[in-house]
Amino acid sequence: MEQMITLEFHPEVKAALEAGHAVVALESNVITHGLDYPDNVTTALKVEAAVRESGAIPATIGIDNGVVLVGMNREQIERFASTPNIPKVSSRDLPFILASGKMGAMTVASSLVIAELASIPFFSSAGIGGVHRGAETSMDISSDLIQFTRSKVAVVCAGAKNILDIGLTLEYLETQCVPVVSYQSNDFPAFYCQTSGYKSPMRMDHADEIARAIEINWSIPGAAGMLITTPTREEDAIDSKDIQLVVKQAVEQAETEGVTGNAVTKFIMKAIEKATAGRSAEANKAVLINTARVAGELAVAHSHYLRDKGQHVGG
Ligand code: PSU
Ligand code: MN
């Protein structure tokens, strides 16, 4: 079958993959929808720097002019950060945005589709989508969770924001056979809160053990992604008690204002930002950067594991 999706590799990403060096794929929706300009540029660059600091190469993914950029240069990041109204592209939106030639910002789900096509085994995002509060009636479940069951990519994150129903998110991941492991922690984290109040189904303390687990998972017929969580650093964390009420009010406000579908997350984030006088935005940036650093470390350990076995990242 002809491959209809054109990938345009940043030369550095291409070289790293060919050499078997660690690469970490990154989403672009956080640039266009998660933070404001120019904070989004500086943060995206810091996230990339954090991946490099750990010895891996970052590959920020986005769509421009009918092709998928696998790794962006500074100008491209600047362009994504400053162009208004770039659509949020989840997996199902890929065909339309690519066919139309428009720009598109990738969610976790669509980034995973591309990472797998590009043979990048690692992806990092601070917060994944999940099961929304009230999903028992709205059925609002992020397709990020479904994509974990389809793409053979290890996902490193700081859990999910507690604007979601984290208990149901964990239940859903269990039902869908998605392996979840917390790196050097007992708890499933909640983005800028160190714990969600839920214990993680598994804890592992060594990066090489996680590398082995990833490879074993990929040899299981039908298995795809693995979720690896790392908590935000204590000094950057917000106490979950401090924002419980704010989150509850923001979720209710979205409901009364009739915000639905893929606009819900951004609306609630903005409301929380306003209510915490920017404190959540600061914590948001810190967790993005820290998660990327840990993802870089784990990706390097994984590439070393493959090298020692005589295999190669990137096939
Ligand atoms: N979680 C956050 N912040 C975000 C997102 C998730 O804490 O910005 C973004 C990510 O790009 C994620 C997407 O992949 O929202 C999920 O959106 P939805 O729930 O519409 O699938
Ligand atoms: Mn949704």
Side-chain angles (χ1 to χ4, degrees):
M1 200 172 47
E2 189 189 352
Q3 176 50 258
M4 293 290 294
I5 298 180
T6 307
L7 305 181
E8 190 177 301
F9 286 88
H10 187 294
E12 191 187 21
V13 172
K14 190 170 195 297
L17 288 170
E18 280 168 6
H21 291 152
V23 176
V24 176
L26 300 163
E27 61 160 306
S28 48
N29 183 55
V30 64
I31 302 176
T32 56
H33 290 68
L35 299 160
D36 292 329
Y37 185 82
D39 232 15
N40 52 1
V41 182
T42 43
T43 307
L45 293 174
K46 281 184 192 165
V47 164
E48 290 209 338
V51 170
R52 288 182 203 283
E53 208 180 290
S54 298
I57 298 296
T60 301
I61 299 177
I63 296 176
D64 195 8
N65 205 12
V67 304
V68 185
L69 306 174
V70 182
M72 291 190 200
N73 59 34
R74 210 193 158 100
E75 284 72 19
Q76 288 165 326
I77 288 178
E78 178 77 38
R79 201 158 106 72
F80 271 79
S82 58
T83 306
N85 304 321
I86 299 180
K88 166 179 170 179
V89 178
S90 196
S91 308
R92 69 166 189 172
D93 308 310
L94 278 169
F96 304 128
I97 298 296
L98 282 167
S100 73
K102 286 188 194 143
M103 287 177 87
M106 317 293 266
T107 64
V108 172
S110 60
S111 300
L112 295 177
V113 171
I114 301 305
E116 186 174 28
L117 277 176
S119 299
I120 301 174
F122 267 84
F123 168 82
S124 165
S125 166
I128 56 164
V131 179
H132 282 258
R133 296 184 185 198
E136 56 275 27
T137 50
S138 70
M139 289 187 67
D140 190 351
I141 298 172
S142 173
S143 47
D144 290 357
L145 301 185
I146 287 85
Q147 199 61 50
F148 296 155
T149 70
R150 298 186 180 186
S151 301
K152 286 194 174 187
V153 179
V155 176
V156 183
C157 69
K161 284 207 188 96
N162 45 23
I163 61 170
L164 301 168
D165 189 321
I166 296 191
L168 288 187
T169 300
L170 283 165
E171 285 295 345
Y172 193 84
L173 289 165
E174 182 186 352
T175 300
Q176 294 290 337
C177 317
V178 177
V180 177
V181 58
S182 289
Y183 179 49
Q184 297 177 343
S185 172
N186 290 325
D187 294 337
F188 189 81
F191 199 73
Y192 33 51
C193 305
Q194 280 200 315
T195 176
S196 60
Y198 291 88
K199 215 171 152 309
S200 181
M202 183 58 61
R203 171 184 177 136
M204 279 189 171
D205 289 311
H206 302 288
D208 55 341
E209 196 180 4
I210 290 187
R212 277 202 302 282
I214 289 169
E215 288 299 314
I216 291 167
N217 186 49
W218 286 338
S219 69
I220 294 170
M226 177 181 288
L227 198 59
I228 304 160
T229 70
T230 177
T232 189
R233 300 181 313 173
E234 197 171 348
E235 58 267 41
D236 301 323
I238 296 182
D239 196 320
S240 55
K241 288 194 298 294
D242 291 356
I243 56 162
Q244 238 166 40
L245 188 63
V246 172
V247 170
K248 193 166 166 279
Q249 284 166 345
V251 171
E252 282 165 7
Q253 195 187 342
E255 217 173 280
T256 43
E257 293 191 21
V259 182
T260 54
N262 71 359
V264 170
T265 302
K266 186 173 176 179
F267 179 90
I268 296 174
M269 295 301 302
K270 287 280 168 220
I272 293 173
E273 213 176 294
K274 215 166 140 207
T276 61
R279 193 173 157 220
S280 66
E282 282 313 305
N284 194 341
K285 287 181 257 177
V287 66
L288 282 164
I289 293 163
N290 184 61
T291 310
R293 182 183 59 76
V294 175
E297 268 173 39
L298 292 171
V300 167
H302 178 255
S303 72
H304 288 173
Y305 173 73
L306 291 186
R307 183 194 62 197
D308 295 345
K309 271 196 355 163
Q311 285 177 12
H312 214 232
V313 171

